[in-house]
Amino acid sequence: MKVEAAKITRESKSNLALAFISLGRERRRDITVFYAFCRVIDDIADATDLNVDEKRRRLVEWRRWLRISMPGEPELTRDVRGLMGKYSIAPEMLEEIIAGVEMDLDQSRYATFGELRVYCYRVASAVGLVSIEIFGYRNPSCKEYAIELGLALQMTNIIRDVGKDLRNGRIYLPQEDMARFDYSERELQDRQYNERFVRLMEFEAARARQFFARAAVLLPREDRQSMVAAEIMGSVYRGLLRRMELDRFRVFEKEYRLNKLEKAGRIAAKLLKSF
């Protein structure tokens, strides 16, 4: 396994990394390289020690590195280009992810879900579309599965991270949805937990569940085994969404996560089902 990519993945302690256990050695090594790329790109946008211009410069650098080798480039860039060649992944697919991260530099509010969906597609569905190339699939409709599952995962993230995103000056909840439930940005900034907020969160959770349901329908039968890693991710995030729903979305005061035993149970269930 490439040392730099493995280190980045290990230190992330992500749910995504947990899902890699279902893969064979070679695909696990390759998806780890891709995940490390996603992590590095995301960390650039979130870096508190960089100004916006420096963040843009670094993301532009990554765009160049996807296409050509340059002196002084990180080891990871060579690994990512090797991955692209091996699985015939066009640079535009990875540039879509960079474009999603760049949206965080320019935009901190979303008027409509239509606007937010573009963001979710870039930072999550595009990741899914690259991932299934590495997992290996036979039916082209698996791409639609990846898109819907990505939207479901990102909406769950948005619900979970409302408080955290506020601290970073970002609100991903669409303004049209907040208006629908008469919950103002001022109330959100003040972290007012009331019945209107709960109804707003229930609305967003129902949207996430719709994406999960569509993904389940779209997963081709012949690709169920190769998509076990993706299904593990879906199971963990559905559990996370359910926990928030049962607790009535106390996202201002809690950081929701499943414990190791709960995650292990979901991983085992998906592995057993695949065989």
Side-chain angles (χ1 to χ4, degrees), residues 193-217:
Y193 180 84
N194 54 37
E195 221 27 66
R196 284 174 287 114
F197 175 76
V198 173
R199 290 202 304 273
L200 170 61
M201 292 294 98
E202 287 173 342
F203 179 78
E204 304 301 348
R207 176 176 274 149
R209 288 204 170 277
Q210 285 180 338
F211 288 129
F212 277 123
R214 284 184 212 151
V217 170

PDB file of all heavy atoms in Angstrom, residues 193-217:
ATOM      1  N   TYR A 193     -33.233  25.838  19.526  1.00  0.00           N
ATOM      2  CA  TYR A 193     -33.807  24.508  19.328  1.00  0.00           C
ATOM      3  C   TYR A 193     -35.283  24.573  19.685  1.00  0.00           C
ATOM      4  O   TYR A 193     -35.640  24.749  20.851  1.00  0.00           O
ATOM      5  CB  TYR A 193     -33.079  23.482  20.192  1.00  0.00           C
ATOM      6  CG  TYR A 193     -33.619  22.078  20.054  1.00  0.00           C
ATOM      7  CD1 TYR A 193     -33.203  21.255  19.018  1.00  0.00           C
ATOM      8  CD2 TYR A 193     -34.553  21.585  20.964  1.00  0.00           C
ATOM      9  CE1 TYR A 193     -33.705  19.971  18.881  1.00  0.00           C
ATOM     10  CE2 TYR A 193     -35.063  20.301  20.836  1.00  0.00           C
ATOM     11  CZ  TYR A 193     -34.631  19.496  19.796  1.00  0.00           C
ATOM     12  OH  TYR A 193     -35.137  18.228  19.657  1.00  0.00           O
ATOM     13  N   ASN A 194     -36.130  24.471  18.694  1.00  0.00           N
ATOM     14  CA  ASN A 194     -37.571  24.549  18.935  1.00  0.00           C
ATOM     15  C   ASN A 194     -38.289  23.606  17.968  1.00  0.00           C
ATOM     16  O   ASN A 194     -37.664  22.905  17.171  1.00  0.00           O
ATOM     17  CB  ASN A 194     -38.070  25.998  18.800  1.00  0.00           C
ATOM     18  CG  ASN A 194     -37.683  26.621  17.463  1.00  0.00           C
ATOM     19  OD1 ASN A 194     -37.685  25.951  16.431  1.00  0.00           O
ATOM     20  ND2 ASN A 194     -37.330  27.908  17.491  1.00  0.00           N
ATOM     21  N   GLU A 195     -39.600  23.604  18.051  1.00  0.00           N
ATOM     22  CA  GLU A 195     -40.400  22.666  17.252  1.00  0.00           C
ATOM     23  C   GLU A 195     -40.244  22.939  15.759  1.00  0.00           C
ATOM     24  O   GLU A 195     -40.243  22.020  14.945  1.00  0.00           O
ATOM     25  CB  GLU A 195     -41.863  22.804  17.676  1.00  0.00           C
ATOM     26  CG  GLU A 195     -42.700  21.550  17.806  1.00  0.00           C
ATOM     27  CD  GLU A 195     -42.022  20.244  18.128  1.00  0.00           C
ATOM     28  OE1 GLU A 195     -41.469  20.083  19.222  1.00  0.00           O
ATOM     29  OE2 GLU A 195     -42.065  19.358  17.245  1.00  0.00           O
ATOM     30  N   ARG A 196     -40.111  24.197  15.386  1.00  0.00           N
ATOM     31  CA  ARG A 196     -39.937  24.531  13.971  1.00  0.00           C
ATOM     32  C   ARG A 196     -38.610  24.002  13.438  1.00  0.00           C
ATOM     33  O   ARG A 196     -38.517  23.536  12.301  1.00  0.00           O
ATOM     34  CB  ARG A 196     -40.040  26.051  13.773  1.00  0.00           C
ATOM     35  CG  ARG A 196     -41.482  26.544  13.847  1.00  0.00           C
ATOM     36  CD  ARG A 196     -41.584  28.062  13.803  1.00  0.00           C
ATOM     37  NE  ARG A 196     -41.137  28.667  15.054  1.00  0.00           N
ATOM     38  CZ  ARG A 196     -40.066  29.442  15.180  1.00  0.00           C
ATOM     39  NH1 ARG A 196     -39.326  29.730  14.123  1.00  0.00           N
ATOM     40  NH2 ARG A 196     -39.749  29.952  16.350  1.00  0.00           N
ATOM     41  N   PHE A 197     -37.579  24.063  14.273  1.00  0.00           N
ATOM     42  CA  PHE A 197     -36.278  23.505  13.875  1.00  0.00           C
ATOM     43  C   PHE A 197     -36.377  21.991  13.691  1.00  0.00           C
ATOM     44  O   PHE A 197     -35.859  21.437  12.723  1.00  0.00           O
ATOM     45  CB  PHE A 197     -35.208  23.830  14.927  1.00  0.00           C
ATOM     46  CG  PHE A 197     -33.883  23.190  14.641  1.00  0.00           C
ATOM     47  CD1 PHE A 197     -33.040  23.692  13.660  1.00  0.00           C
ATOM     48  CD2 PHE A 197     -33.478  22.045  15.349  1.00  0.00           C
ATOM     49  CE1 PHE A 197     -31.814  23.088  13.388  1.00  0.00           C
ATOM     50  CE2 PHE A 197     -32.266  21.440  15.079  1.00  0.00           C
ATOM     51  CZ  PHE A 197     -31.430  21.960  14.096  1.00  0.00           C
ATOM     52  N   VAL A 198     -37.067  21.330  14.623  1.00  0.00           N
ATOM     53  CA  VAL A 198     -37.218  19.875  14.531  1.00  0.00           C
ATOM     54  C   VAL A 198     -37.958  19.486  13.250  1.00  0.00           C
ATOM     55  O   VAL A 198     -37.569  18.546  12.550  1.00  0.00           O
ATOM     56  CB  VAL A 198     -37.945  19.310  15.779  1.00  0.00           C
ATOM     57  CG1 VAL A 198     -38.256  17.822  15.596  1.00  0.00           C
ATOM     58  CG2 VAL A 198     -37.095  19.526  17.030  1.00  0.00           C
ATOM     59  N   ARG A 199     -39.005  20.224  12.923  1.00  0.00           N
ATOM     60  CA  ARG A 199     -39.750  19.922  11.692  1.00  0.00           C
ATOM     61  C   ARG A 199     -38.885  20.144  10.446  1.00  0.00           C
ATOM     62  O   ARG A 199     -38.969  19.386   9.478  1.00  0.00           O
ATOM     63  CB  ARG A 199     -41.025  20.773  11.621  1.00  0.00           C
ATOM     64  CG  ARG A 199     -42.085  20.377  12.638  1.00  0.00           C
ATOM     65  CD  ARG A 199     -43.471  20.844  12.221  1.00  0.00           C
ATOM     66  NE  ARG A 199     -43.532  22.284  11.994  1.00  0.00           N
ATOM     67  CZ  ARG A 199     -43.769  23.188  12.949  1.00  0.00           C
ATOM     68  NH1 ARG A 199     -43.986  22.782  14.195  1.00  0.00           N
ATOM     69  NH2 ARG A 199     -43.820  24.478  12.665  1.00  0.00           N
ATOM     70  N   LEU A 200     -38.046  21.172  10.484  1.00  0.00           N
ATOM     71  CA  LEU A 200     -37.115  21.421   9.384  1.00  0.00           C
ATOM     72  C   LEU A 200     -36.144  20.249   9.224  1.00  0.00           C
ATOM     73  O   LEU A 200     -35.912  19.767   8.111  1.00  0.00           O
ATOM     74  CB  LEU A 200     -36.338  22.717   9.662  1.00  0.00           C
ATOM     75  CG  LEU A 200     -35.147  23.036   8.746  1.00  0.00           C
ATOM     76  CD1 LEU A 200     -35.591  23.200   7.291  1.00  0.00           C
ATOM     77  CD2 LEU A 200     -34.426  24.296   9.248  1.00  0.00           C
ATOM     78  N   MET A 201     -35.618  19.772  10.335  1.00  0.00           N
ATOM     79  CA  MET A 201     -34.684  18.644  10.291  1.00  0.00           C
ATOM     80  C   MET A 201     -35.379  17.359   9.837  1.00  0.00           C
ATOM     81  O   MET A 201     -34.799  16.554   9.104  1.00  0.00           O
ATOM     82  CB  MET A 201     -34.047  18.415  11.680  1.00  0.00           C
ATOM     83  CG  MET A 201     -33.114  19.505  12.142  1.00  0.00           C
ATOM     84  SD  MET A 201     -31.615  19.632  11.115  1.00  0.00           S
ATOM     85  CE  MET A 201     -32.108  20.984  10.059  1.00  0.00           C
ATOM     86  N   GLU A 202     -36.623  17.183  10.264  1.00  0.00           N
ATOM     87  CA  GLU A 202     -37.391  16.016   9.811  1.00  0.00           C
ATOM     88  C   GLU A 202     -37.581  16.048   8.294  1.00  0.00           C
ATOM     89  O   GLU A 202     -37.522  15.012   7.628  1.00  0.00           O
ATOM     90  CB  GLU A 202     -38.745  15.979  10.521  1.00  0.00           C
ATOM     91  CG  GLU A 202     -38.656  15.572  11.984  1.00  0.00           C
ATOM     92  CD  GLU A 202     -39.977  15.706  12.720  1.00  0.00           C
ATOM     93  OE1 GLU A 202     -40.880  16.425  12.227  1.00  0.00           O
ATOM     94  OE2 GLU A 202     -40.113  15.106  13.809  1.00  0.00           O
ATOM     95  N   PHE A 203     -37.805  17.247   7.775  1.00  0.00           N
ATOM     96  CA  PHE A 203     -37.975  17.419   6.327  1.00  0.00           C
ATOM     97  C   PHE A 203     -36.694  17.032   5.596  1.00  0.00           C
ATOM     98  O   PHE A 203     -36.725  16.309   4.584  1.00  0.00           O
ATOM     99  CB  PHE A 203     -38.347  18.877   6.045  1.00  0.00           C
ATOM    100  CG  PHE A 203     -38.537  19.188   4.588  1.00  0.00           C
ATOM    101  CD1 PHE A 203     -39.700  18.835   3.921  1.00  0.00           C
ATOM    102  CD2 PHE A 203     -37.538  19.852   3.876  1.00  0.00           C
ATOM    103  CE1 PHE A 203     -39.868  19.126   2.570  1.00  0.00           C
ATOM    104  CE2 PHE A 203     -37.709  20.154   2.526  1.00  0.00           C
ATOM    105  CZ  PHE A 203     -38.863  19.787   1.871  1.00  0.00           C
ATOM    106  N   GLU A 204     -35.541  17.494   6.094  1.00  0.00           N
ATOM    107  CA  GLU A 204     -34.260  17.168   5.455  1.00  0.00           C
ATOM    108  C   GLU A 204     -33.940  15.674   5.601  1.00  0.00           C
ATOM    109  O   GLU A 204     -33.393  15.058   4.680  1.00  0.00           O
ATOM    110  CB  GLU A 204     -33.128  18.013   6.052  1.00  0.00           C
ATOM    111  CG  GLU A 204     -33.336  19.515   5.992  1.00  0.00           C
ATOM    112  CD  GLU A 204     -33.506  20.060   4.574  1.00  0.00           C
ATOM    113  OE1 GLU A 204     -33.244  19.340   3.594  1.00  0.00           O
ATOM    114  OE2 GLU A 204     -33.921  21.231   4.455  1.00  0.00           O
ATOM    115  N   ALA A 205     -34.302  15.092   6.741  1.00  0.00           N
ATOM    116  CA  ALA A 205     -34.067  13.660   6.957  1.00  0.00           C
ATOM    117  C   ALA A 205     -34.909  12.829   5.992  1.00  0.00           C
ATOM    118  O   ALA A 205     -34.445  11.817   5.453  1.00  0.00           O
ATOM    119  CB  ALA A 205     -34.376  13.279   8.401  1.00  0.00           C
ATOM    120  N   ALA A 206     -36.150  13.258   5.762  1.00  0.00           N
ATOM    121  CA  ALA A 206     -37.014  12.546   4.816  1.00  0.00           C
ATOM    122  C   ALA A 206     -36.424  12.608   3.410  1.00  0.00           C
ATOM    123  O   ALA A 206     -36.488  11.633   2.649  1.00  0.00           O
ATOM    124  CB  ALA A 206     -38.416  13.157   4.833  1.00  0.00           C
ATOM    125  N   ARG A 207     -35.830  13.740   3.073  1.00  0.00           N
ATOM    126  CA  ARG A 207     -35.176  13.881   1.765  1.00  0.00           C
ATOM    127  C   ARG A 207     -34.004  12.900   1.659  1.00  0.00           C
ATOM    128  O   ARG A 207     -33.823  12.232   0.637  1.00  0.00           O
ATOM    129  CB  ARG A 207     -34.696  15.323   1.597  1.00  0.00           C
ATOM    130  CG  ARG A 207     -33.928  15.575   0.332  1.00  0.00           C
ATOM    131  CD  ARG A 207     -33.596  17.057   0.215  1.00  0.00           C
ATOM    132  NE  ARG A 207     -34.680  17.800  -0.394  1.00  0.00           N
ATOM    133  CZ  ARG A 207     -34.968  19.071  -0.131  1.00  0.00           C
ATOM    134  NH1 ARG A 207     -34.272  19.735   0.770  1.00  0.00           N
ATOM    135  NH2 ARG A 207     -35.957  19.674  -0.767  1.00  0.00           N
ATOM    136  N   ALA A 208     -33.206  12.812   2.715  1.00  0.00           N
ATOM    137  CA  ALA A 208     -32.080  11.868   2.722  1.00  0.00           C
ATOM    138  C   ALA A 208     -32.588  10.436   2.567  1.00  0.00           C
ATOM    139  O   ALA A 208     -32.012   9.636   1.824  1.00  0.00           O
ATOM    140  CB  ALA A 208     -31.274  12.016   4.009  1.00  0.00           C
ATOM    141  N   ARG A 209     -33.678  10.115   3.263  1.00  0.00           N
ATOM    142  CA  ARG A 209     -34.232   8.762   3.183  1.00  0.00           C
ATOM    143  C   ARG A 209     -34.735   8.445   1.769  1.00  0.00           C
ATOM    144  O   ARG A 209     -34.644   7.302   1.320  1.00  0.00           O
ATOM    145  CB  ARG A 209     -35.364   8.587   4.194  1.00  0.00           C
ATOM    146  CG  ARG A 209     -34.872   8.511   5.621  1.00  0.00           C
ATOM    147  CD  ARG A 209     -35.829   7.783   6.534  1.00  0.00           C
ATOM    148  NE  ARG A 209     -35.186   7.539   7.826  1.00  0.00           N
ATOM    149  CZ  ARG A 209     -34.375   6.534   8.062  1.00  0.00           C
ATOM    150  NH1 ARG A 209     -34.092   5.671   7.085  1.00  0.00           N
ATOM    151  NH2 ARG A 209     -33.825   6.365   9.244  1.00  0.00           N
ATOM    152  N   GLN A 210     -35.260   9.437   1.084  1.00  0.00           N
ATOM    153  CA  GLN A 210     -35.692   9.233  -0.301  1.00  0.00           C
ATOM    154  C   GLN A 210     -34.505   8.852  -1.185  1.00  0.00           C
ATOM    155  O   GLN A 210     -34.604   7.974  -2.043  1.00  0.00           O
ATOM    156  CB  GLN A 210     -36.354  10.500  -0.843  1.00  0.00           C
ATOM    157  CG  GLN A 210     -37.753  10.740  -0.303  1.00  0.00           C
ATOM    158  CD  GLN A 210     -38.364  12.015  -0.879  1.00  0.00           C
ATOM    159  OE1 GLN A 210     -37.659  12.907  -1.332  1.00  0.00           O
ATOM    160  NE2 GLN A 210     -39.685  12.095  -0.853  1.00  0.00           N
ATOM    161  N   PHE A 211     -33.385   9.509  -0.960  1.00  0.00           N
ATOM    162  CA  PHE A 211     -32.180   9.179  -1.736  1.00  0.00           C
ATOM    163  C   PHE A 211     -31.682   7.778  -1.399  1.00  0.00           C
ATOM    164  O   PHE A 211     -31.275   7.021  -2.293  1.00  0.00           O
ATOM    165  CB  PHE A 211     -31.079  10.214  -1.495  1.00  0.00           C
ATOM    166  CG  PHE A 211     -31.347  11.551  -2.123  1.00  0.00           C
ATOM    167  CD1 PHE A 211     -31.244  12.716  -1.378  1.00  0.00           C
ATOM    168  CD2 PHE A 211     -31.702  11.653  -3.467  1.00  0.00           C
ATOM    169  CE1 PHE A 211     -31.487  13.962  -1.956  1.00  0.00           C
ATOM    170  CE2 PHE A 211     -31.942  12.887  -4.050  1.00  0.00           C
ATOM    171  CZ  PHE A 211     -31.836  14.038  -3.290  1.00  0.00           C
ATOM    172  N   PHE A 212     -31.709   7.413  -0.119  1.00  0.00           N
ATOM    173  CA  PHE A 212     -31.321   6.047   0.273  1.00  0.00           C
ATOM    174  C   PHE A 212     -32.228   5.028  -0.410  1.00  0.00           C
ATOM    175  O   PHE A 212     -31.763   3.997  -0.906  1.00  0.00           O
ATOM    176  CB  PHE A 212     -31.416   5.878   1.794  1.00  0.00           C
ATOM    177  CG  PHE A 212     -30.222   6.375   2.567  1.00  0.00           C
ATOM    178  CD1 PHE A 212     -30.372   7.332   3.562  1.00  0.00           C
ATOM    179  CD2 PHE A 212     -28.945   5.872   2.316  1.00  0.00           C
ATOM    180  CE1 PHE A 212     -29.280   7.785   4.285  1.00  0.00           C
ATOM    181  CE2 PHE A 212     -27.844   6.322   3.033  1.00  0.00           C
ATOM    182  CZ  PHE A 212     -28.017   7.284   4.024  1.00  0.00           C
ATOM    183  N   ALA A 213     -33.540   5.313  -0.420  1.00  0.00           N
ATOM    184  CA  ALA A 213     -34.512   4.382  -1.011  1.00  0.00           C
ATOM    185  C   ALA A 213     -34.286   4.243  -2.512  1.00  0.00           C
ATOM    186  O   ALA A 213     -34.331   3.136  -3.065  1.00  0.00           O
ATOM    187  CB  ALA A 213     -35.934   4.864  -0.726  1.00  0.00           C
ATOM    188  N   ARG A 214     -34.029   5.352  -3.192  1.00  0.00           N
ATOM    189  CA  ARG A 214     -33.771   5.287  -4.632  1.00  0.00           C
ATOM    190  C   ARG A 214     -32.509   4.494  -4.930  1.00  0.00           C
ATOM    191  O   ARG A 214     -32.458   3.719  -5.888  1.00  0.00           O
ATOM    192  CB  ARG A 214     -33.646   6.703  -5.204  1.00  0.00           C
ATOM    193  CG  ARG A 214     -34.980   7.408  -5.361  1.00  0.00           C
ATOM    194  CD  ARG A 214     -34.775   8.769  -6.020  1.00  0.00           C
ATOM    195  NE  ARG A 214     -35.762   9.720  -5.530  1.00  0.00           N
ATOM    196  CZ  ARG A 214     -35.563  11.026  -5.439  1.00  0.00           C
ATOM    197  NH1 ARG A 214     -34.406  11.541  -5.789  1.00  0.00           N
ATOM    198  NH2 ARG A 214     -36.520  11.810  -5.007  1.00  0.00           N
ATOM    199  N   ALA A 215     -31.477   4.697  -4.126  1.00  0.00           N
ATOM    200  CA  ALA A 215     -30.232   3.955  -4.316  1.00  0.00           C
ATOM    201  C   ALA A 215     -30.479   2.452  -4.179  1.00  0.00           C
ATOM    202  O   ALA A 215     -29.975   1.657  -4.975  1.00  0.00           O
ATOM    203  CB  ALA A 215     -29.187   4.418  -3.303  1.00  0.00           C
ATOM    204  N   ALA A 216     -31.271   2.075  -3.181  1.00  0.00           N
ATOM    205  CA  ALA A 216     -31.555   0.649  -2.958  1.00  0.00           C
ATOM    206  C   ALA A 216     -32.249   0.032  -4.161  1.00  0.00           C
ATOM    207  O   ALA A 216     -31.952  -1.101  -4.562  1.00  0.00           O
ATOM    208  CB  ALA A 216     -32.418   0.483  -1.710  1.00  0.00           C
ATOM    209  N   VAL A 217     -33.154   0.778  -4.771  1.00  0.00           N
ATOM    210  CA  VAL A 217     -33.879   0.286  -5.948  1.00  0.00           C
ATOM    211  C   VAL A 217     -32.949   0.191  -7.158  1.00  0.00           C
ATOM    212  O   VAL A 217     -33.061  -0.731  -7.981  1.00  0.00           O
ATOM    213  CB  VAL A 217     -35.083   1.209  -6.259  1.00  0.00           C
ATOM    214  CG1 VAL A 217     -35.695   0.859  -7.606  1.00  0.00           C
ATOM    215  CG2 VAL A 217     -36.128   1.096  -5.149  1.00  0.00           C
TER     216      VAL A 217
END
